[in-house]
Amino acid sequence: MRLKQGRGPRPSSSVLAALARALRLNDEEGALLFQFAGAAPPQQGRIDMVVRPSVLRLLDRMADLPALVLSAKADVLAWNPMAAALLGDFSAWPPAQRNITWQRFLGTEPGRVAMTPAEADNAASFSVAGLRSARARYPDDPGLLRLVSELHSRSPRFEQLWTARRSGQWRSATKTIDHPDFGCLRLDCDTLLVPDTDQAVVVYSAAPGSREASALEVLRVTGTQRFTAEPSG
């Protein structure tokens, strides 16, 4: 009610987009939310940060597979419980840092995706190439401009790769996840594109009957609960 009446502090566009995702609003309802908050709705030529209700329903139905939704600049927009159980809880990242590329170059805690040096180099190159491609499509997007500027100023490695102009694109692949309870899990990782919103649904899976499939089945039941007992005081 306070938001509708224009009272209290005005939330930022990113907060409004997150609220629209949480409420599963469609495009028209999301625009009305921005209007009530006294903010301009997402404009044409800006990166879409709102996940469609239909895509969120897909995440709900993927109860036995880890899945997450990424924006055109690799923001983690939504994820299901299985993704949190496998990869860690993305809500622990501050919203401004809830971005795969930011974490790759500026994050202080290693993620659970285990890579050889060659794989890490390719992943970094693909991340930079993805941002270059996004900037070509969305040259005036303020969030993208802020992200690229911060990476330029704080990461020499990012600056080097950006200057090198290496090309590349994400492909379906097999990834190794170093899980704290199950050890290394080799999982298929497929990217499904949502063309109208320029978003991607990333899904992890394993062959039936494999050790990895058994581990995913256990994670479906236990979620983010850890097996390791806390030391007694």
Side-chain angles (χ1 to χ4, degrees), residues 2 8-9 11 17 33-34 48 71 77 105 117 132 139 178 208 218 224 229:
R2 288 169 62 87
L33 174 66
F34 275 79
D48 196 336
S71 75
L77 300 179
F105 290 97
R132 292 186 66 89
D178 189 4
V218 175
T224 57

Side-chain angles (χ1 to χ4, degrees), residues 8-27:
R10 288 188 176 183
S12 66
S13 296
S14 60
V15 170
L16 291 171
L19 181 58
R21 291 195 297 272
L23 296 175
R24 303 197 173 193
L25 305 182
N26 59 32
D27 292 343

Side-chain angles (χ1 to χ4, degrees), residues 125-147:
S125 295
F126 291 159
S127 293
V128 174
L131 278 189
R132 292 186 66 89
S133 177
R135 198 182 71 163
R137 299 194 304 277
Y138 306 98
D140 299 320
D141 184 84
L144 176 58
L145 294 176
R146 284 194 300 269
L147 174 62

Side-chain angles (χ1 to χ4, degrees), residues 31-199:
L32 191 60
L33 174 66
F34 275 79
Q35 179 182 337
F36 282 150
Q43 304 173 15
Q44 186 176 4
R46 301 290 176 89
I47 291 177
D48 196 336
M49 300 291 285
V50 178
V51 183
R52 289 179 176 177
S54 58
V55 175
L56 293 174
R57 288 195 296 271
L58 286 178
L59 294 191
D60 290 341
R61 295 300 297 269
M62 293 180 182
D64 57 346
L65 293 177
L68 58 151
V69 181
L70 301 181
S71 75
K73 60 184 173 72
D75 302 289
V76 182
L77 300 179
W79 59 93
N80 64 6
M82 279 291 288
L86 178 69
L87 301 169
D89 188 2
F90 295 105
S91 65
W93 294 349
Q97 301 173 10
R98 204 170 292 163
N99 179 281
I100 299 298
T101 306
W102 192 100
Q103 291 291 331
R104 172 160 285 122
F105 290 97
L106 299 177
T108 57
E109 296 184 7
R112 293 183 181 177
V113 179
M115 300 182 186
T116 65
E119 289 172 337
D121 182 65
N122 285 334
S125 295
F126 291 159
S127 293
V128 174
L131 278 189
R132 292 186 66 89
S133 177
R135 198 182 71 163
R137 299 194 304 277
Y138 306 98
D140 299 320
D141 184 84
L144 176 58
L145 294 176
R146 284 194 300 269
L147 174 62
V148 172
S149 177
E150 182 180 10
L151 290 168
H152 272 303
S153 63
R154 296 184 55 193
S155 173
R157 177 58 173 156
F158 178 87
E159 175 71 21
Q160 177 188 30
L161 290 172
W162 186 276
T163 303
R165 295 178 176 270
R166 293 170 60 180
S167 63
Q169 62 182 7
W170 292 110
R171 303 178 184 274
S172 298
T174 301
K175 292 188 178 180
T176 299
I177 308 300
D178 189 4
H179 192 274
D181 291 318
F182 295 99
C184 289
L185 303 173
R186 291 286 287 173
L187 297 170
D188 292 324
C189 179
D190 291 285
T191 301
L192 313 177
L193 300 180
V194 186
D196 291 349
T197 58
D198 203 8
Q199 294 170 358

